[in-house]
């Protein structure tokens, strides 16, 4: 709260810092203060009732804390690119179809550090189980990745804060019995970058709920099972991910 030149009156401040014209107040919890020309001191709830009408409390909102945080939620992942049932991977003795991958739900978790109201660094992990078709019978697919991102928040003076997310990721996909002409699993590994948008709503300074949509540009440049080594031409695995999560700030 900012009040230039204010020498008398009442101010209510939440966690953080309030500028009141005659100095700064640092508080660790919500407090009510009376401002005079000489000093700033706390007043009781009963005194506040005499000054402020109970039916007109003024604007109120919650801001998330800064520092370390942890989140956990549900994901929905779509894998596209060359995973369309038409692309192939060639090995020394055979050629394998790159299957079409169905969309699937999964789980995601992340940890991060919020340096100030705008900037955060975050590490996240996601896992999901899919079905692959185009290899005869449907095959089970296990997908996972780890992502390292930087996050920038907008509308930092609001409880609802949209943000942008950008970073890089390590991806792995295992297709059970994924060979066309022989038994055995096929595993793809690669790297990529992420670009996402989201919104976070602070219900308390420590707890937020939110959603984010992330585009992932992935090049799988390693394969084990058919080619079994680095791929001359990477397999593209671009996709989208939706995350619904709750976050706890320590």
């Amino acid at each position: 709260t900012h009040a230039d030149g204010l020498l008398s009156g009442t101010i209510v401040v939440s966690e953080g810092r309030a500028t009141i014209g005659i100095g700064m107040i640092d508080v660790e919890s919500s407090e009510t203060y009376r401002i005079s020309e000489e000093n700033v001191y706390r007043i009781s709830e009963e005194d506040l009732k005499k000054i402020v009408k109970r039916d007109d409390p003024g604007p109120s909102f919650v801001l998330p804390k800064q520092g370390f945080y942890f989140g956990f939620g549900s994901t929905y992942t779509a894998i596209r690119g060359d995973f369309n049932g038409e692309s192939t991977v060639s090995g020394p003795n055979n050629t394998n179809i790159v299957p079409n991958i169905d969309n699937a739900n999964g789980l995601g978790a992340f940890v991060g550090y919020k340096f100030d109201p705008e900037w955060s660094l975050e590490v996240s992990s996601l896992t999901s189980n899919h079905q692959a078709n185009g290899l005869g019978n449907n095959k089970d697919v296990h997908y996972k990745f780890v992502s390292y991102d930087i996050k920038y928040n907008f509308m930092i003076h609001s409880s609802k804060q949209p943000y942008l997310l950008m970073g890089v990721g390590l991806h792995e996909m295992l297709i059970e019995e994924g060979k066309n002409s022989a038994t055995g699993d096929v595993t793809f590994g690669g790297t990529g970058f992420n670009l996402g948008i989201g919104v976070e709503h602070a219900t308390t300074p420590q707890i937020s709920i939110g959603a984010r949509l992330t585009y992932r540009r992935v090049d799988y440049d390693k394969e084990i099972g058919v080619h079994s080594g680095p791929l001359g031409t990477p397999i593209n695995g671009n996709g989208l991910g939706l995350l619904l999560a709750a976050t706890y700030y320590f």
Side-chain angles (χ1 to χ4, degrees), residues 136-179:
N137 296 327
N138 287 349
K139 308 293 184 179
D140 291 330
V141 178
H142 307 288
Y143 169 69
K144 60 184 178 180
F145 83 90
V146 176
S147 178
Y148 305 88
D149 299 291
I150 186 168
K151 188 167 102 173
Y152 181 80
N153 291 282
F154 300 92
M155 297 172 57
I156 59 174
H157 299 297
S158 170
S159 297
K160 296 181 178 65
Q161 297 185 4
Y163 60 84
L164 291 177
L165 189 80
M166 184 171 62
V168 297
L170 304 176
H171 301 253
E172 182 179 284
M173 184 187 308
L174 185 149
I175 305 173
E176 293 186 3
E177 299 296 328
K179 295 183 179 180

Short mmCIF file of all heavy atoms in Angstrom, two decimals, residues 136-179:
data_model
loop_
_atom_site.label_atom_id
_atom_site.label_comp_id
_atom_site.label_asym_id
_atom_site.label_seq_id
_atom_site.Cartn_x
_atom_site.Cartn_y
_atom_site.Cartn_z
N GLY A 136 0.70 -53.13 -35.37
CA GLY A 136 -0.10 -54.33 -35.20
C GLY A 136 -1.02 -54.14 -34.02
O GLY A 136 -1.92 -53.30 -34.04
N ASN A 137 -0.78 -54.88 -32.95
CA ASN A 137 -1.55 -54.68 -31.73
C ASN A 137 -1.09 -53.40 -31.03
O ASN A 137 0.05 -52.96 -31.18
CB ASN A 137 -1.37 -55.87 -30.78
CG ASN A 137 -1.93 -57.16 -31.37
OD1 ASN A 137 -2.92 -57.13 -32.11
ND2 ASN A 137 -1.29 -58.28 -31.06
N ASN A 138 -1.99 -52.81 -30.24
CA ASN A 138 -1.61 -51.63 -29.46
C ASN A 138 -0.50 -51.98 -28.48
O ASN A 138 -0.49 -53.06 -27.88
CB ASN A 138 -2.82 -51.07 -28.71
CG ASN A 138 -3.79 -50.37 -29.64
OD1 ASN A 138 -3.48 -50.12 -30.80
ND2 ASN A 138 -4.97 -50.06 -29.13
N LYS A 139 0.41 -51.05 -28.31
CA LYS A 139 1.55 -51.24 -27.41
C LYS A 139 1.51 -50.19 -26.30
O LYS A 139 1.08 -49.06 -26.50
CB LYS A 139 2.88 -51.11 -28.17
CG LYS A 139 2.97 -51.98 -29.42
CD LYS A 139 3.01 -53.46 -29.09
CE LYS A 139 3.22 -54.27 -30.36
NZ LYS A 139 3.28 -55.73 -30.08
N ASP A 140 2.00 -50.58 -25.11
CA ASP A 140 2.09 -49.64 -24.00
C ASP A 140 3.30 -48.73 -24.18
O ASP A 140 4.39 -49.20 -24.55
CB ASP A 140 2.21 -50.38 -22.67
CG ASP A 140 0.94 -51.11 -22.29
OD1 ASP A 140 -0.15 -50.64 -22.68
OD2 ASP A 140 1.02 -52.16 -21.62
N VAL A 141 3.10 -47.44 -23.91
CA VAL A 141 4.16 -46.45 -24.05
C VAL A 141 4.31 -45.72 -22.72
O VAL A 141 3.32 -45.26 -22.14
CB VAL A 141 3.83 -45.43 -25.16
CG1 VAL A 141 4.92 -44.37 -25.25
CG2 VAL A 141 3.66 -46.13 -26.49
N HIS A 142 5.55 -45.60 -22.25
CA HIS A 142 5.85 -44.89 -21.00
C HIS A 142 6.71 -43.66 -21.36
O HIS A 142 7.83 -43.80 -21.85
CB HIS A 142 6.59 -45.80 -20.03
CG HIS A 142 5.88 -47.10 -19.77
ND1 HIS A 142 4.72 -47.18 -19.02
CD2 HIS A 142 6.15 -48.36 -20.21
CE1 HIS A 142 4.30 -48.44 -18.98
NE2 HIS A 142 5.16 -49.17 -19.69
N TYR A 143 6.15 -42.49 -21.09
CA TYR A 143 6.81 -41.23 -21.44
C TYR A 143 7.14 -40.47 -20.17
O TYR A 143 6.34 -40.40 -19.23
CB TYR A 143 5.88 -40.40 -22.33
CG TYR A 143 6.33 -38.98 -22.56
CD1 TYR A 143 7.45 -38.70 -23.32
CD2 TYR A 143 5.62 -37.90 -22.03
CE1 TYR A 143 7.87 -37.39 -23.55
CE2 TYR A 143 6.02 -36.60 -22.25
CZ TYR A 143 7.14 -36.35 -23.01
OH TYR A 143 7.54 -35.06 -23.22
N LYS A 144 8.35 -39.88 -20.14
CA LYS A 144 8.73 -39.05 -19.00
C LYS A 144 9.72 -37.99 -19.46
O LYS A 144 10.42 -38.17 -20.46
CB LYS A 144 9.34 -39.89 -17.87
CG LYS A 144 10.58 -40.67 -18.26
CD LYS A 144 11.06 -41.55 -17.11
CE LYS A 144 12.29 -42.37 -17.51
NZ LYS A 144 12.75 -43.22 -16.37
N PHE A 145 9.74 -36.88 -18.74
CA PHE A 145 10.73 -35.85 -19.03
C PHE A 145 11.01 -35.03 -17.79
O PHE A 145 10.22 -34.96 -16.85
CB PHE A 145 10.28 -34.96 -20.20
CG PHE A 145 9.34 -33.85 -19.82
CD1 PHE A 145 9.83 -32.61 -19.45
CD2 PHE A 145 7.97 -34.04 -19.87
CE1 PHE A 145 8.97 -31.59 -19.11
CE2 PHE A 145 7.11 -33.02 -19.54
CZ PHE A 145 7.61 -31.79 -19.16
N VAL A 146 12.17 -34.38 -17.80
CA VAL A 146 12.58 -33.42 -16.78
C VAL A 146 12.84 -32.10 -17.48
O VAL A 146 13.52 -32.06 -18.51
CB VAL A 146 13.84 -33.89 -16.02
CG1 VAL A 146 14.29 -32.82 -15.02
CG2 VAL A 146 13.57 -35.20 -15.31
N SER A 147 12.31 -31.01 -16.92
CA SER A 147 12.40 -29.70 -17.57
C SER A 147 13.02 -28.68 -16.62
O SER A 147 12.77 -28.72 -15.40
CB SER A 147 11.00 -29.24 -17.98
OG SER A 147 11.04 -27.97 -18.58
N TYR A 148 13.81 -27.77 -17.18
CA TYR A 148 14.45 -26.69 -16.43
C TYR A 148 13.99 -25.37 -17.05
O TYR A 148 14.30 -25.08 -18.21
CB TYR A 148 15.97 -26.82 -16.50
CG TYR A 148 16.48 -28.17 -16.05
CD1 TYR A 148 16.59 -29.22 -16.98
CD2 TYR A 148 16.83 -28.41 -14.74
CE1 TYR A 148 17.05 -30.46 -16.58
CE2 TYR A 148 17.28 -29.66 -14.33
CZ TYR A 148 17.39 -30.67 -15.25
OH TYR A 148 17.83 -31.91 -14.85
N ASP A 149 13.24 -24.58 -16.27
CA ASP A 149 12.55 -23.42 -16.84
C ASP A 149 12.77 -22.15 -16.03
O ASP A 149 13.04 -22.20 -14.82
CB ASP A 149 11.04 -23.69 -16.91
CG ASP A 149 10.71 -24.88 -17.79
OD1 ASP A 149 10.89 -24.76 -19.01
OD2 ASP A 149 10.29 -25.92 -17.25
N ILE A 150 12.59 -21.02 -16.71
CA ILE A 150 12.51 -19.72 -16.07
C ILE A 150 11.08 -19.22 -16.26
O ILE A 150 10.48 -19.41 -17.32
CB ILE A 150 13.54 -18.74 -16.66
CG1 ILE A 150 13.53 -17.43 -15.87
CG2 ILE A 150 13.33 -18.51 -18.15
CD1 ILE A 150 14.70 -16.52 -16.20
N LYS A 151 10.53 -18.59 -15.22
CA LYS A 151 9.13 -18.17 -15.22
C LYS A 151 9.03 -16.69 -14.92
O LYS A 151 9.71 -16.19 -14.02
CB LYS A 151 8.36 -18.98 -14.17
CG LYS A 151 6.86 -18.79 -14.20
CD LYS A 151 6.19 -19.87 -13.35
CE LYS A 151 5.78 -19.33 -12.02
NZ LYS A 151 4.98 -20.29 -11.22
N TYR A 152 8.18 -15.99 -15.71
CA TYR A 152 7.97 -14.55 -15.51
C TYR A 152 6.49 -14.28 -15.26
O TYR A 152 5.64 -14.62 -16.09
CB TYR A 152 8.44 -13.76 -16.72
CG TYR A 152 8.27 -12.26 -16.56
CD1 TYR A 152 9.20 -11.53 -15.82
CD2 TYR A 152 7.18 -11.60 -17.11
CE1 TYR A 152 9.04 -10.16 -15.66
CE2 TYR A 152 7.02 -10.23 -16.94
CZ TYR A 152 7.95 -9.52 -16.22
OH TYR A 152 7.79 -8.17 -16.03
N ASN A 153 6.18 -13.68 -14.11
CA ASN A 153 4.80 -13.38 -13.72
C ASN A 153 4.39 -11.97 -14.12
O ASN A 153 5.17 -11.02 -13.99
CB ASN A 153 4.64 -13.51 -12.20
CG ASN A 153 4.74 -14.94 -11.73
OD1 ASN A 153 3.81 -15.72 -11.86
ND2 ASN A 153 5.90 -15.30 -11.20
N PHE A 154 3.14 -11.84 -14.58
CA PHE A 154 2.52 -10.56 -14.85
C PHE A 154 1.50 -10.25 -13.74
O PHE A 154 1.17 -11.10 -12.93
CB PHE A 154 1.81 -10.56 -16.20
CG PHE A 154 2.72 -10.83 -17.36
CD1 PHE A 154 2.92 -12.13 -17.82
CD2 PHE A 154 3.39 -9.81 -18.00
CE1 PHE A 154 3.76 -12.39 -18.89
CE2 PHE A 154 4.24 -10.05 -19.07
CZ PHE A 154 4.41 -11.34 -19.51
N MET A 155 0.98 -9.02 -13.71
CA MET A 155 -0.07 -8.63 -12.76
C MET A 155 0.32 -9.02 -11.33
O MET A 155 -0.43 -9.69 -10.62
CB MET A 155 -1.41 -9.25 -13.15
CG MET A 155 -1.93 -8.77 -14.50
SD MET A 155 -3.40 -9.68 -15.08
CE MET A 155 -4.53 -9.41 -13.70
N ILE A 156 1.51 -8.60 -10.92
CA ILE A 156 2.07 -9.05 -9.65
C ILE A 156 1.35 -8.46 -8.44
O ILE A 156 1.60 -8.89 -7.30
CB ILE A 156 3.58 -8.73 -9.56
CG1 ILE A 156 3.81 -7.22 -9.70
CG2 ILE A 156 4.34 -9.50 -10.63
CD1 ILE A 156 5.25 -6.81 -9.49
N HIS A 157 0.46 -7.49 -8.64
CA HIS A 157 -0.31 -6.92 -7.53
C HIS A 157 -1.71 -7.50 -7.47
O HIS A 157 -2.60 -6.91 -6.86
CB HIS A 157 -0.36 -5.40 -7.65
CG HIS A 157 0.98 -4.74 -7.60
ND1 HIS A 157 1.79 -4.81 -6.49
CD2 HIS A 157 1.66 -4.03 -8.52
CE1 HIS A 157 2.91 -4.15 -6.72
NE2 HIS A 157 2.87 -3.68 -7.95
N SER A 158 -1.90 -8.66 -8.09
CA SER A 158 -3.20 -9.33 -8.10
C SER A 158 -3.06 -10.74 -7.57
O SER A 158 -2.00 -11.36 -7.65
CB SER A 158 -3.75 -9.36 -9.53
OG SER A 158 -4.88 -10.19 -9.63
N SER A 159 -4.16 -11.28 -7.02
CA SER A 159 -4.16 -12.68 -6.58
C SER A 159 -4.06 -13.63 -7.76
O SER A 159 -3.56 -14.75 -7.63
CB SER A 159 -5.43 -12.98 -5.78
OG SER A 159 -5.49 -12.22 -4.60
N LYS A 160 -4.59 -13.22 -8.92
CA LYS A 160 -4.52 -14.03 -10.13
C LYS A 160 -3.41 -13.49 -11.01
O LYS A 160 -3.49 -12.38 -11.52
CB LYS A 160 -5.86 -14.00 -10.88
CG LYS A 160 -7.01 -14.62 -10.12
CD LYS A 160 -8.28 -14.55 -10.93
CE LYS A 160 -9.44 -15.21 -10.21
NZ LYS A 160 -9.81 -14.51 -8.96
N GLN A 161 -2.36 -14.29 -11.18
CA GLN A 161 -1.16 -13.83 -11.89
C GLN A 161 -0.88 -14.72 -13.10
O GLN A 161 -0.49 -15.88 -12.96
CB GLN A 161 0.05 -13.83 -10.96
CG GLN A 161 -0.09 -12.88 -9.79
CD GLN A 161 1.17 -12.81 -8.94
OE1 GLN A 161 2.19 -13.41 -9.26
NE2 GLN A 161 1.09 -12.08 -7.85
N PRO A 162 -1.07 -14.21 -14.33
CA PRO A 162 -0.65 -14.95 -15.52
C PRO A 162 0.87 -14.95 -15.63
O PRO A 162 1.54 -14.07 -15.07
CB PRO A 162 -1.30 -14.19 -16.67
CG PRO A 162 -1.50 -12.81 -16.14
CD PRO A 162 -1.72 -12.93 -14.66
N TYR A 163 1.42 -15.92 -16.36
CA TYR A 163 2.87 -15.99 -16.48
C TYR A 163 3.28 -16.65 -17.79
O TYR A 163 2.49 -17.33 -18.45
CB TYR A 163 3.50 -16.73 -15.30
CG TYR A 163 3.06 -18.16 -15.12
CD1 TYR A 163 3.66 -19.20 -15.84
CD2 TYR A 163 2.06 -18.50 -14.21
CE1 TYR A 163 3.27 -20.51 -15.66
CE2 TYR A 163 1.65 -19.81 -14.04
CZ TYR A 163 2.26 -20.81 -14.76
OH TYR A 163 1.86 -22.12 -14.61
N LEU A 164 4.54 -16.42 -18.16
CA LEU A 164 5.19 -17.10 -19.27
C LEU A 164 6.26 -18.03 -18.72
O LEU A 164 6.89 -17.72 -17.70
CB LEU A 164 5.83 -16.10 -20.23
CG LEU A 164 4.90 -15.21 -21.06
CD1 LEU A 164 5.72 -14.23 -21.89
CD2 LEU A 164 4.01 -16.05 -21.96
N LEU A 165 6.48 -19.15 -19.42
CA LEU A 165 7.45 -20.15 -18.99
C LEU A 165 8.29 -20.53 -20.19
O LEU A 165 7.77 -20.75 -21.29
CB LEU A 165 6.70 -21.38 -18.44
CG LEU A 165 7.52 -22.46 -17.74
CD1 LEU A 165 7.81 -22.00 -16.31
CD2 LEU A 165 6.73 -23.76 -17.69
N MET A 166 9.63 -20.64 -19.99
CA MET A 166 10.51 -21.02 -21.10
C MET A 166 11.70 -21.79 -20.54
O MET A 166 12.24 -21.44 -19.49
CB MET A 166 10.98 -19.78 -21.85
CG MET A 166 11.83 -20.07 -23.07
SD MET A 166 12.13 -18.60 -24.07
CE MET A 166 13.02 -17.59 -22.88
N GLY A 167 12.11 -22.84 -21.26
CA GLY A 167 13.25 -23.61 -20.78
C GLY A 167 13.60 -24.76 -21.70
O GLY A 167 13.19 -24.81 -22.86
N VAL A 168 14.37 -25.71 -21.16
CA VAL A 168 14.83 -26.87 -21.92
C VAL A 168 14.45 -28.13 -21.16
O VAL A 168 14.21 -28.10 -19.94
CB VAL A 168 16.36 -26.84 -22.14
CG1 VAL A 168 16.73 -25.64 -22.99
CG2 VAL A 168 17.10 -26.80 -20.80
N GLY A 169 14.39 -29.26 -21.89
CA GLY A 169 13.97 -30.50 -21.25
C GLY A 169 14.71 -31.72 -21.78
O GLY A 169 15.26 -31.71 -22.90
N LEU A 170 14.75 -32.78 -20.96
CA LEU A 170 15.29 -34.09 -21.33
C LEU A 170 14.12 -35.06 -21.39
O LEU A 170 13.36 -35.19 -20.41
CB LEU A 170 16.31 -34.56 -20.28
CG LEU A 170 17.49 -33.61 -20.01
CD1 LEU A 170 18.35 -34.17 -18.88
CD2 LEU A 170 18.32 -33.41 -21.27
N HIS A 171 13.98 -35.77 -22.51
CA HIS A 171 12.79 -36.60 -22.76
C HIS A 171 13.19 -38.04 -23.03
O HIS A 171 14.22 -38.32 -23.64
CB HIS A 171 12.02 -36.06 -23.97
CG HIS A 171 11.56 -34.65 -23.81
ND1 HIS A 171 10.24 -34.32 -23.59
CD2 HIS A 171 12.24 -33.47 -23.86
CE1 HIS A 171 10.13 -33.00 -23.50
NE2 HIS A 171 11.33 -32.48 -23.66
N GLU A 172 12.32 -38.96 -22.57
CA GLU A 172 12.52 -40.39 -22.83
C GLU A 172 11.17 -41.05 -23.07
O GLU A 172 10.19 -40.77 -22.36
CB GLU A 172 13.24 -41.06 -21.66
CG GLU A 172 13.51 -42.55 -21.91
CD GLU A 172 14.23 -43.19 -20.74
OE1 GLU A 172 15.45 -42.96 -20.60
OE2 GLU A 172 13.57 -43.92 -19.97
N MET A 173 11.12 -41.92 -24.06
CA MET A 173 9.90 -42.65 -24.37
C MET A 173 10.23 -44.12 -24.60
O MET A 173 11.06 -44.45 -25.46
CB MET A 173 9.24 -42.06 -25.62
CG MET A 173 7.91 -42.70 -25.96
SD MET A 173 7.26 -42.13 -27.55
CE MET A 173 7.32 -40.37 -27.33
N LEU A 174 9.59 -45.01 -23.84
CA LEU A 174 9.79 -46.45 -23.97
C LEU A 174 8.52 -47.07 -24.54
O LEU A 174 7.44 -46.90 -23.99
CB LEU A 174 10.14 -47.07 -22.63
CG LEU A 174 10.50 -48.57 -22.64
CD1 LEU A 174 11.50 -48.87 -21.54
CD2 LEU A 174 9.26 -49.46 -22.45
N ILE A 175 8.66 -47.80 -25.65
CA ILE A 175 7.54 -48.51 -26.27
C ILE A 175 7.73 -50.00 -26.02
O ILE A 175 8.68 -50.61 -26.54
CB ILE A 175 7.46 -48.22 -27.78
CG1 ILE A 175 7.41 -46.72 -28.04
CG2 ILE A 175 6.25 -48.93 -28.40
CD1 ILE A 175 7.49 -46.34 -29.50
N GLU A 176 6.86 -50.58 -25.22
CA GLU A 176 6.98 -52.00 -24.91
C GLU A 176 6.69 -52.85 -26.15
O GLU A 176 5.70 -52.63 -26.84
CB GLU A 176 6.02 -52.38 -23.78
CG GLU A 176 6.35 -51.75 -22.44
CD GLU A 176 5.47 -52.28 -21.33
OE1 GLU A 176 4.64 -53.18 -21.61
OE2 GLU A 176 5.59 -51.80 -20.18
N GLU A 177 7.58 -53.82 -26.40
CA GLU A 177 7.45 -54.69 -27.57
C GLU A 177 7.23 -53.85 -28.83
O GLU A 177 6.36 -54.13 -29.66
CB GLU A 177 6.30 -55.69 -27.37
CG GLU A 177 6.49 -56.61 -26.19
CD GLU A 177 7.71 -57.53 -26.35
OE1 GLU A 177 8.02 -57.91 -27.50
OE2 GLU A 177 8.34 -57.87 -25.34
N GLY A 178 8.06 -52.82 -28.98
CA GLY A 178 7.86 -51.86 -30.05
C GLY A 178 8.50 -52.20 -31.37
O GLY A 178 8.43 -51.42 -32.32
N LYS A 179 9.14 -53.37 -31.47
CA LYS A 179 9.76 -53.76 -32.74
C LYS A 179 8.72 -54.37 -33.68
O LYS A 179 7.83 -55.10 -33.26
CB LYS A 179 10.88 -54.75 -32.49
CG LYS A 179 12.05 -54.18 -31.70
CD LYS A 179 13.15 -55.20 -31.55
CE LYS A 179 14.33 -54.64 -30.77
NZ LYS A 179 15.42 -55.63 -30.62
#
